Amino acid sequence: MKLVQLKLMIQDSLASRGLKDPAVRQNAMENIYKFMKADGGVFLDENGDVRLPSDAIVIRNAYRKYKGYELNSAEKSVINEMYRFV
């Protein structure tokens, strides 16, 4: 699955939930998407398909290091969604 496909699937999932403030998770999705594109050698294979580590903690730690501070609940939720779809 390509990163763009994953992003669209997550956006559709978030939009269908009836969240109180969906923009917060949409923003988190955009930020994580940018991170994954910037660090594509780790999370994308040679064909550009998403390659997630077996444990979500790995990607959470990498994203935390990238942004320089702790993840918020929206970011954790988006990462969980990524694992659900991949």
Side-chain angles (χ1 to χ4, degrees):
M1 170 183 312
K2 302 293 183 201
L3 186 56
V4 166
Q5 294 170 307
L6 179 60
K7 177 184 171 186
L8 293 173
M9 291 172 71
I10 292 171
Q11 287 175 331
D12 289 345
S13 173
L14 295 174
S16 71
R17 286 191 190 171
L19 298 168
K20 182 178 177 182
D21 191 1
V24 172
R25 284 201 176 98
Q26 292 290 348
N27 186 50
M29 178 66 242
E30 287 298 324
N31 292 335
I32 292 170
Y33 175 77
K34 289 175 189 173
F35 157 70
M36 290 187 71
K37 282 183 70 174
D39 201 7
V42 176
F43 301 110
L44 303 176
D45 69 14
E46 61 277 353
N47 298 319
D49 291 324
V50 176
R51 181 185 63 186
L52 296 178
S54 60
D55 192 340
I57 292 172
V58 174
I59 195 167
R60 286 183 185 154
N61 289 339
Y63 184 58
R64 180 176 46 242
K65 183 177 178 181
Y66 171 82
K67 70 182 233 171
Y69 51 94
E70 289 298 316
L71 280 64
N72 60 40
S73 61
E75 293 163 334
K76 290 176 185 175
S77 176
V78 167
I79 291 171
N80 289 340
E81 284 292 298
M82 289 169 51
Y83 276 84
R84 187 168 78 97
F85 287 115
V86 173

Coordinates of all heavy atoms in Angstrom, one line a residue:
M1 N 0.8 -1.2 0.0 CA 0.0 0.0 0.0 C 0.9 1.2 0.0 O 1.8 1.3 0.8 CB -0.9 0.0 1.2 CG -1.7 1.3 1.5 SD -2.7 1.3 3.0 CE -3.5 -0.3 2.9
K2 N 0.6 2.2 -0.9 CA 1.3 3.4 -0.9 C 0.9 4.3 0.2 O -0.2 4.3 0.8 CB 1.1 4.1 -2.3 CG 1.4 3.3 -3.5 CD 2.9 3.1 -3.6 CE 3.2 2.3 -4.9 NZ 4.5 1.7 -4.8
L3 N 1.8 5.2 0.6 CA 1.6 6.2 1.7 C 0.4 7.0 1.4 O -0.4 7.3 2.3 CB 2.8 7.0 1.9 CG 2.8 7.9 3.1 CD1 2.5 7.2 4.4 CD2 4.2 8.7 3.2
V4 N 0.2 7.5 0.2 CA -0.9 8.3 -0.1 C -2.2 7.6 0.1 O -3.2 8.1 0.6 CB -0.8 8.9 -1.6 CG1 -2.1 9.5 -2.1 CG2 0.3 9.9 -1.7
Q5 N -2.3 6.3 -0.3 CA -3.4 5.5 -0.1 C -3.8 5.3 1.4 O -4.9 5.4 1.8 CB -3.3 4.1 -0.7 CG -3.1 4.1 -2.2 CD -2.7 2.7 -2.7 OE1 -1.7 2.2 -2.3 NE2 -3.5 2.2 -3.7
L6 N -2.8 5.1 2.1 CA -2.9 4.9 3.6 C -3.5 6.2 4.2 O -4.4 6.2 5.0 CB -1.6 4.5 4.3 CG -1.7 4.4 5.8 CD1 -2.6 3.3 6.2 CD2 -0.3 4.1 6.3
K7 N -2.9 7.3 3.8 CA -3.4 8.6 4.3 C -4.9 8.8 4.0 O -5.7 9.2 4.8 CB -2.6 9.7 3.6 CG -3.0 11.1 4.0 CD -2.2 12.2 3.3 CE -2.7 13.6 3.5 NZ -2.0 14.5 2.7
L8 N -5.3 8.5 2.7 CA -6.7 8.7 2.4 C -7.6 7.8 3.1 O -8.7 8.2 3.5 CB -6.9 8.5 0.9 CG -6.2 9.5 0.0 CD1 -6.3 9.1 -1.5 CD2 -6.8 10.9 0.2
M9 N -7.2 6.5 3.4 CA -8.0 5.6 4.1 C -8.2 6.1 5.6 O -9.3 6.0 6.1 CB -7.3 4.2 4.1 CG -7.4 3.5 2.8 SD -6.4 2.0 2.7 CE -7.4 1.0 3.7
I10 N -7.1 6.6 6.2 CA -7.2 7.1 7.5 C -8.1 8.4 7.6 O -8.9 8.5 8.5 CB -5.8 7.4 8.1 CG1 -5.1 6.1 8.3 CG2 -5.9 8.2 9.4 CD1 -3.6 6.3 8.6
Q11 N -7.9 9.2 6.6 CA -8.8 10.4 6.6 C -10.3 10.1 6.5 O -11.1 10.6 7.1 CB -8.4 11.4 5.4 CG -7.1 12.1 5.7 CD -6.6 12.9 4.5 OE1 -6.9 12.6 3.3 NE2 -5.9 13.9 4.8
D12 N -10.6 9.1 5.6 CA -12.0 8.6 5.5 C -12.5 8.0 6.8 O -13.6 8.3 7.2 CB -12.1 7.6 4.4 CG -11.9 8.2 3.0 OD1 -12.0 9.4 2.8 OD2 -11.7 7.4 2.0
S13 N -11.6 7.2 7.4 CA -12.0 6.6 8.7 C -12.3 7.7 9.8 O -13.3 7.6 10.5 CB -10.9 5.7 9.2 OG -11.2 5.2 10.5
L14 N -11.4 8.7 9.8 CA -11.6 9.7 10.8 C -12.8 10.6 10.5 O -13.6 10.9 11.4 CB -10.4 10.7 10.9 CG -9.1 10.0 11.3 CD1 -7.9 11.0 11.2 CD2 -9.2 9.6 12.8
A15 N -13.1 10.8 9.3 CA -14.3 11.6 8.9 C -15.6 10.9 9.2 O -16.6 11.5 9.5 CB -14.2 12.0 7.4
S16 N -15.5 9.5 9.2 CA -16.8 8.8 9.4 C -17.1 8.6 10.8 O -18.2 8.1 11.2 CB -16.6 7.4 8.7 OG -15.7 6.6 9.4
R17 N -16.2 8.9 11.7 CA -16.4 8.6 13.2 C -17.3 9.6 13.9 O -17.7 9.4 15.0 CB -15.1 8.6 13.9 CG -14.3 7.4 13.6 CD -13.1 7.4 14.5 NE -12.1 6.4 14.2 CZ -11.0 6.3 14.8 NH1 -10.6 7.2 15.7 NH2 -10.2 5.4 14.4
G18 N -17.5 10.8 13.4 CA -18.3 11.8 14.1 C -17.6 12.3 15.3 O -18.1 12.5 16.3
L19 N -16.3 12.6 15.1 CA -15.5 13.1 16.2 C -15.9 14.5 16.6 O -16.3 15.3 15.7 CB -14.0 13.0 15.8 CG -13.4 11.7 15.5 CD1 -12.0 11.8 14.9 CD2 -13.3 10.9 16.8
K20 N -15.7 14.9 17.8 CA -16.0 16.2 18.3 C -15.2 17.3 17.5 O -15.7 18.3 17.1 CB -15.7 16.3 19.8 CG -16.1 17.7 20.4 CD -15.8 17.7 21.9 CE -16.1 19.0 22.5 NZ -15.8 19.1 23.9
D21 N -13.9 17.0 17.3 CA -13.0 18.0 16.6 C -12.1 17.2 15.7 O -11.0 16.9 16.0 CB -12.2 18.8 17.6 CG -11.5 20.0 17.0 OD1 -11.7 20.2 15.7 OD2 -10.8 20.7 17.7
P22 N -12.7 16.8 14.5 CA -11.9 15.9 13.6 C -10.6 16.6 13.0 O -9.7 16.0 12.6 CB -12.9 15.6 12.5 CG -13.9 16.6 12.6 CD -14.0 17.1 14.0
A23 N -10.6 18.0 13.0 CA -9.5 18.7 12.5 C -8.2 18.4 13.3 O -7.1 18.4 12.7 CB -9.8 20.2 12.5
V24 N -8.3 18.1 14.6 CA -7.1 17.8 15.4 C -6.5 16.5 14.9 O -5.3 16.5 14.7 CB -7.5 17.6 16.9 CG1 -6.3 17.1 17.7 CG2 -8.0 19.0 17.4
R25 N -7.2 15.5 14.6 CA -6.7 14.3 14.1 C -6.2 14.4 12.6 O -5.3 13.8 12.2 CB -7.6 13.1 14.3 CG -7.7 12.7 15.7 CD -8.2 11.2 15.9 NE -8.1 10.8 17.2 CZ -9.2 10.9 18.1 NH1 -10.3 11.3 17.7 NH2 -9.0 10.5 19.3
Q26 N -7.0 15.2 11.9 CA -6.6 15.4 10.5 C -5.2 16.1 10.4 O -4.3 15.8 9.6 CB -7.6 16.3 9.7 CG -8.9 15.6 9.5 CD -8.8 14.5 8.5 OE1 -7.8 14.3 7.8 NE2 -9.9 13.7 8.4
N27 N -5.0 17.1 11.3 CA -3.7 17.8 11.4 C -2.6 16.8 11.9 O -1.5 16.8 11.3 CB -3.8 18.9 12.4 CG -2.6 19.8 12.4 OD1 -2.1 20.2 11.4 ND2 -2.1 20.0 13.6
A28 N -2.9 15.9 12.8 CA -2.0 14.9 13.2 C -1.6 14.0 12.0 O -0.4 13.7 11.9 CB -2.5 14.1 14.4
M29 N -2.6 13.6 11.2 CA -2.3 12.8 10.1 C -1.4 13.5 9.1 O -0.5 12.9 8.6 CB -3.7 12.4 9.4 CG -3.5 11.6 8.1 SD -2.9 10.0 8.4 CE -1.3 10.1 7.5
E30 N -1.6 14.8 8.9 CA -0.8 15.5 8.0 C 0.7 15.6 8.5 O 1.6 15.4 7.7 CB -1.3 16.9 7.8 CG -2.5 17.1 6.9 CD -2.3 16.6 5.5 OE1 -1.2 16.8 4.9 OE2 -3.2 16.0 4.9
N31 N 0.8 15.8 9.7 CA 2.2 15.9 10.3 C 2.9 14.5 10.3 O 4.1 14.4 10.0 CB 2.1 16.4 11.8 CG 1.7 17.8 11.8 OD1 1.9 18.6 10.9 ND2 1.1 18.2 12.9
I32 N 2.2 13.4 10.5 CA 2.8 12.1 10.5 C 3.1 11.7 9.0 O 4.1 11.1 8.7 CB 1.9 11.1 11.2 CG1 1.9 11.4 12.7 CG2 2.4 9.7 10.9 CD1 0.9 10.6 13.5
Y33 N 2.2 12.1 8.1 CA 2.5 11.9 6.7 C 3.8 12.6 6.2 O 4.6 12.0 5.6 CB 1.3 12.4 5.9 CG 1.4 12.3 4.4 CD1 1.2 11.1 3.7 CD2 1.6 13.5 3.7 CE1 1.4 11.1 2.4 CE2 1.8 13.4 2.3 CZ 1.6 12.2 1.6 OH 1.7 12.2 0.3
K34 N 3.9 13.8 6.6 CA 5.2 14.6 6.3 C 6.4 13.9 6.9 O 7.4 13.8 6.2 CB 5.1 16.0 6.8 CG 4.1 16.8 6.0 CD 4.0 18.2 6.6 CE 2.8 19.0 6.0 NZ 2.6 20.3 6.7
F35 N 6.3 13.4 8.1 CA 7.4 12.7 8.8 C 7.7 11.5 8.0 O 8.9 11.2 7.7 CB 7.0 12.4 10.2 CG 7.7 11.2 10.8 CD1 9.1 11.3 11.1 CD2 7.1 10.0 11.1 CE1 9.8 10.3 11.7 CE2 7.8 9.0 11.6 CZ 9.1 9.1 11.9
M36 N 6.7 10.7 7.6 CA 7.0 9.4 6.9 C 7.6 9.7 5.6 O 8.5 8.9 5.1 CB 5.7 8.6 6.9 CG 5.4 8.0 8.2 SD 4.0 6.9 8.2 CE 4.8 5.5 7.4
K37 N 7.2 10.7 4.9 CA 7.8 11.1 3.6 C 9.2 11.5 3.8 O 10.1 11.2 3.0 CB 7.0 12.2 2.9 CG 5.7 11.7 2.3 CD 5.0 12.8 1.5 CE 5.8 13.2 0.3 NZ 5.1 14.1 -0.5
A38 N 9.5 12.3 4.8 CA 10.8 12.8 5.1 C 11.8 11.7 5.5 O 13.0 11.7 5.1 CB 10.8 13.9 6.2
D39 N 11.3 10.7 6.2 CA 12.1 9.6 6.7 C 11.7 8.3 5.9 O 11.6 7.2 6.5 CB 11.9 9.4 8.2 CG 13.0 8.7 8.9 OD1 14.0 8.4 8.2 OD2 12.9 8.4 10.0
G40 N 11.4 8.4 4.7 CA 10.9 7.3 3.9 C 11.8 6.1 3.8 O 11.3 5.0 3.6
G41 N 13.1 6.3 4.0 CA 14.0 5.1 3.9 C 13.7 4.1 5.0 O 13.9 2.9 4.9
V42 N 13.1 4.6 6.1 CA 12.8 3.7 7.2 C 11.4 3.1 7.1 O 11.2 1.9 7.4 CB 12.9 4.5 8.6 CG1 12.5 3.7 9.7 CG2 14.3 5.1 8.7
F43 N 10.4 3.9 6.6 CA 9.0 3.4 6.7 C 8.4 3.1 5.3 O 7.3 2.8 5.2 CB 8.2 4.4 7.4 CG 8.6 4.6 8.8 CD1 9.2 5.8 9.2 CD2 8.5 3.6 9.8 CE1 9.7 6.0 10.5 CE2 9.0 3.8 11.1 CZ 9.6 5.0 11.4
L44 N 9.2 3.3 4.2 CA 8.8 2.9 2.9 C 9.8 2.0 2.3 O 11.0 2.1 2.4 CB 8.7 4.2 2.0 CG 7.7 5.3 2.6 CD1 7.8 6.5 1.6 CD2 6.3 4.8 2.7
D45 N 9.3 1.0 1.6 CA 10.2 0.1 0.9 C 10.7 0.6 -0.4 O 10.3 1.8 -0.8 CB 9.6 -1.3 0.8 CG 8.5 -1.4 -0.2 OD1 8.3 -0.5 -1.0 OD2 7.8 -2.5 -0.2
E46 N 11.5 -0.1 -1.2 CA 12.1 0.4 -2.4 C 11.0 0.7 -3.5 O 11.3 1.4 -4.4 CB 13.1 -0.6 -3.0 CG 12.5 -2.0 -3.3 CD 12.4 -3.0 -2.1 OE1 12.9 -2.6 -1.0 OE2 11.8 -4.0 -2.3
N47 N 9.8 0.1 -3.3 CA 8.7 0.4 -4.3 C 7.8 1.6 -3.8 O 6.8 1.9 -4.5 CB 7.8 -0.8 -4.5 CG 8.6 -2.0 -5.1 OD1 9.4 -1.7 -6.0 ND2 8.4 -3.2 -4.6
G48 N 8.1 2.1 -2.6 CA 7.3 3.2 -2.1 C 6.1 2.8 -1.3 O 5.3 3.5 -0.9
D49 N 6.1 1.5 -1.0 CA 5.0 0.9 -0.2 C 5.3 1.1 1.3 O 6.5 1.1 1.7 CB 4.8 -0.6 -0.5 CG 4.2 -0.8 -1.8 OD1 3.4 0.0 -2.3 OD2 4.6 -1.8 -2.5
V50 N 4.3 1.3 2.1 CA 4.5 1.5 3.5 C 5.0 0.2 4.1 O 4.5 -0.8 3.9 CB 3.1 2.0 4.2 CG1 3.3 2.1 5.7 CG2 2.6 3.3 3.6
R51 N 6.0 0.4 5.0 CA 6.6 -0.7 5.7 C 6.7 -0.3 7.2 O 7.6 0.5 7.5 CB 8.0 -1.0 5.1 CG 8.7 -2.2 5.8 CD 10.1 -2.3 5.3 NE 10.8 -1.1 5.6 CZ 12.0 -0.8 5.2 NH1 12.7 -1.7 4.4 NH2 12.7 0.3 5.6
L52 N 5.8 -0.8 7.9 CA 5.7 -0.4 9.4 C 6.5 -1.5 10.2 O 6.4 -2.7 9.9 CB 4.3 -0.3 9.9 CG 3.4 0.8 9.2 CD1 2.0 0.7 9.8 CD2 4.0 2.1 9.4
P53 N 7.2 -1.0 11.2 CA 7.8 -2.0 12.2 C 6.7 -2.8 12.8 O 5.5 -2.4 12.9 CB 8.4 -1.1 13.2 CG 8.5 0.3 12.6 CD 7.4 0.4 11.6
S54 N 7.0 -4.0 13.3 CA 6.0 -4.8 13.9 C 5.4 -4.3 15.2 O 4.3 -4.6 15.5 CB 6.6 -6.2 14.2 OG 7.7 -6.1 15.2
D55 N 6.1 -3.3 15.8 CA 5.6 -2.7 17.1 C 5.4 -1.2 16.9 O 6.3 -0.5 16.4 CB 6.6 -3.0 18.2 CG 6.0 -2.7 19.6 OD1 5.0 -1.9 19.6 OD2 6.6 -3.2 20.5
A56 N 4.2 -0.7 17.2 CA 3.9 0.7 17.0 C 4.8 1.6 17.8 O 5.0 2.8 17.5 CB 2.5 1.0 17.4
I57 N 5.4 1.1 18.9 CA 6.3 1.9 19.8 C 7.5 2.4 19.0 O 8.0 3.5 19.2 CB 6.7 1.0 21.0 CG1 5.5 0.8 21.9 CG2 7.9 1.7 21.7 CD1 5.8 -0.2 23.0
V58 N 7.9 1.6 18.0 CA 9.1 2.0 17.2 C 8.8 3.2 16.4 O 9.6 4.2 16.4 CB 9.5 0.8 16.2 CG1 10.6 1.3 15.3 CG2 10.0 -0.4 17.0
I59 N 7.6 3.3 15.7 CA 7.3 4.4 15.0 C 7.0 5.6 15.9 O 7.3 6.8 15.6 CB 6.2 4.2 13.9 CG1 6.1 5.3 12.9 CG2 4.8 4.0 14.6 CD1 5.3 5.0 11.7
R60 N 6.3 5.4 17.0 CA 6.1 6.4 18.0 C 7.4 7.1 18.5 O 7.5 8.3 18.5 CB 5.3 5.9 19.2 CG 3.8 5.6 18.9 CD 3.1 5.2 20.1 NE 1.7 4.8 19.7 CZ 1.0 4.0 20.4 NH1 1.5 3.4 21.5 NH2 -0.2 3.7 20.0
N61 N 8.3 6.3 18.8 CA 9.6 6.8 19.3 C 10.3 7.6 18.2 O 10.9 8.6 18.4 CB 10.5 5.7 19.8 CG 10.0 5.1 21.1 OD1 9.3 5.8 21.8 ND2 10.5 3.9 21.4
A62 N 10.3 7.1 16.9 CA 10.9 7.8 15.8 C 10.2 9.1 15.6 O 10.9 10.1 15.3 CB 10.9 6.9 14.6
Y63 N 8.9 9.1 15.6 CA 8.2 10.4 15.4 C 8.4 11.4 16.5 O 8.6 12.5 16.3 CB 6.7 10.1 15.2 CG 5.9 11.3 14.9 CD1 6.2 12.1 13.8 CD2 4.8 11.7 15.7 CE1 5.4 13.2 13.5 CE2 4.1 12.8 15.4 CZ 4.4 13.6 14.3 OH 3.7 14.7 14.0
R64 N 8.5 10.9 17.8 CA 8.8 11.7 18.9 C 10.1 12.4 18.7 O 10.3 13.6 19.0 CB 8.7 11.0 20.2 CG 9.0 11.8 21.5 CD 8.8 11.1 22.8 NE 9.4 9.8 22.8 CZ 8.8 8.6 23.0 NH1 7.5 8.6 23.2 NH2 9.4 7.5 23.0
K65 N 11.1 11.6 18.3 CA 12.5 12.1 18.1 C 12.5 13.2 17.0 O 13.1 14.2 17.1 CB 13.4 11.0 17.8 CG 14.8 11.4 17.6 CD 15.8 10.2 17.3 CE 17.2 10.7 17.1 NZ 18.1 9.6 16.9
Y66 N 11.7 12.9 15.9 CA 11.6 13.8 14.8 C 11.0 15.2 15.2 O 11.5 16.2 14.8 CB 10.7 13.1 13.7 CG 10.3 14.0 12.5 CD1 11.2 14.2 11.5 CD2 9.1 14.6 12.5 CE1 10.8 14.9 10.4 CE2 8.7 15.3 11.4 CZ 9.6 15.5 10.3 OH 9.2 16.3 9.3
K67 N 9.9 15.1 16.0 CA 9.3 16.4 16.3 C 9.9 17.0 17.6 O 9.7 18.2 17.8 CB 7.8 16.2 16.4 CG 7.3 15.4 17.6 CD 5.7 15.3 17.5 CE 5.2 15.7 18.8 NZ 3.7 15.9 18.8
G68 N 10.6 16.3 18.4 CA 11.3 16.8 19.5 C 10.6 16.9 20.8 O 11.1 17.4 21.8
Y69 N 9.4 16.3 20.9 CA 8.6 16.3 22.1 C 7.6 15.2 22.0 O 7.4 14.6 21.0 CB 8.0 17.6 22.5 CG 7.2 18.3 21.4 CD1 5.8 18.1 21.3 CD2 7.8 19.1 20.5 CE1 5.1 18.7 20.3 CE2 7.1 19.7 19.5 CZ 5.7 19.5 19.4 OH 5.0 20.1 18.4
E70 N 6.9 14.9 23.1 CA 6.0 13.8 23.3 C 4.8 13.9 22.3 O 4.4 15.0 21.9 CB 5.4 13.8 24.7 CG 6.4 13.3 25.7 CD 6.9 11.9 25.5 OE1 6.1 11.0 25.2 OE2 8.1 11.7 25.6
L71 N 4.3 12.8 21.9 CA 3.1 12.7 21.0 C 1.9 13.0 21.8 O 1.8 12.7 23.0 CB 3.0 11.3 20.5 CG 3.8 10.9 19.3 CD1 5.3 10.9 19.6 CD2 3.4 9.5 18.8
N72 N 0.9 13.6 21.1 CA -0.4 13.9 21.8 C -1.3 12.7 21.4 O -1.0 11.8 20.6 CB -1.0 15.2 21.3 CG -1.2 15.3 19.8 OD1 -1.6 14.4 19.2 ND2 -0.9 16.5 19.3
S73 N -2.5 12.7 22.0 CA -3.4 11.6 21.8 C -3.9 11.4 20.4 O -4.1 10.3 19.9 CB -4.6 11.7 22.7 OG -5.3 12.8 22.5
A74 N -4.0 12.5 19.6 CA -4.4 12.5 18.2 C -3.3 11.8 17.4 O -3.6 10.9 16.5 CB -4.7 13.9 17.7
E75 N -2.1 12.1 17.7 CA -1.0 11.4 16.9 C -0.9 9.9 17.2 O -0.8 9.1 16.3 CB 0.3 12.1 17.3 CG 0.4 13.5 16.7 CD 1.5 14.4 17.4 OE1 1.9 14.1 18.5 OE2 1.9 15.3 16.7
K76 N -1.1 9.6 18.5 CA -1.1 8.2 18.8 C -2.3 7.4 18.2 O -2.2 6.3 17.7 CB -1.3 8.0 20.4 CG 0.0 8.4 21.1 CD -0.2 8.3 22.6 CE 1.0 8.9 23.3 NZ 0.8 8.9 24.8
S77 N -3.4 8.1 18.1 CA -4.6 7.5 17.4 C -4.4 7.3 16.0 O -4.7 6.3 15.4 CB -5.8 8.5 17.6 OG -6.9 8.0 17.0
V78 N -3.7 8.3 15.3 CA -3.4 8.1 13.9 C -2.5 7.0 13.6 O -2.6 6.2 12.7 CB -2.9 9.5 13.3 CG1 -2.3 9.3 11.9 CG2 -4.0 10.5 13.2
I79 N -1.5 6.9 14.5 CA -0.5 5.8 14.3 C -1.2 4.4 14.5 O -1.0 3.5 13.8 CB 0.7 5.9 15.3 CG1 1.5 7.1 14.8 CG2 1.5 4.6 15.4 CD1 2.6 7.5 15.8
N80 N -2.1 4.3 15.5 CA -2.9 3.1 15.7 C -3.8 2.8 14.4 O -3.9 1.7 14.0 CB -3.8 3.2 16.9 CG -3.1 3.2 18.2 OD1 -2.0 2.8 18.2 ND2 -3.7 3.7 19.2
E81 N -4.3 3.8 13.8 CA -5.1 3.7 12.5 C -4.2 3.1 11.4 O -4.6 2.3 10.7 CB -5.7 5.0 12.1 CG -6.9 5.4 12.9 CD -8.1 4.5 12.7 OE1 -8.6 4.4 11.5 OE2 -8.6 3.8 13.6
M82 N -3.0 3.6 11.4 CA -2.1 3.2 10.3 C -1.9 1.6 10.5 O -1.9 0.9 9.5 CB -0.7 3.9 10.5 CG -0.7 5.3 10.1 SD 0.8 6.2 10.6 CE 2.1 5.2 9.9
Y83 N -1.7 1.2 11.7 CA -1.5 -0.2 11.9 C -2.8 -1.0 11.6 O -2.7 -2.2 11.2 CB -1.0 -0.5 13.3 CG 0.5 -0.3 13.4 CD1 1.1 0.9 13.6 CD2 1.3 -1.4 13.3 CE1 2.5 1.1 13.7 CE2 2.7 -1.3 13.4 CZ 3.3 -0.1 13.6 OH 4.6 0.1 13.6
R84 N -3.9 -0.4 11.9 CA -5.1 -1.1 11.6 C -5.3 -1.4 10.1 O -5.8 -2.4 9.7 CB -6.3 -0.3 12.1 CG -7.7 -1.0 12.0 CD -8.7 -0.2 12.8 NE -9.2 1.0 12.1 CZ -10.3 1.0 11.3 NH1 -11.0 -0.1 11.2 NH2 -10.7 2.1 10.8
F85 N -4.9 -0.4 9.2 CA -5.1 -0.6 7.8 C -3.9 -1.3 7.1 O -4.1 -1.9 6.1 CB -5.2 0.8 7.2 CG -6.6 1.4 7.4 CD1 -6.7 2.6 8.2 CD2 -7.7 0.8 7.0 CE1 -7.9 3.1 8.4 CE2 -9.0 1.4 7.2 CZ -9.1 2.5 8.0
V86 N -2.7 -1.2 7.7 CA -1.6 -1.9 7.1 C -1.5 -3.3 7.6 O -1.4 -4.3 7.0 CB -0.3 -1.2 7.3 CG1 0.9 -2.0 6.8 CG2 -0.3 0.2 6.6

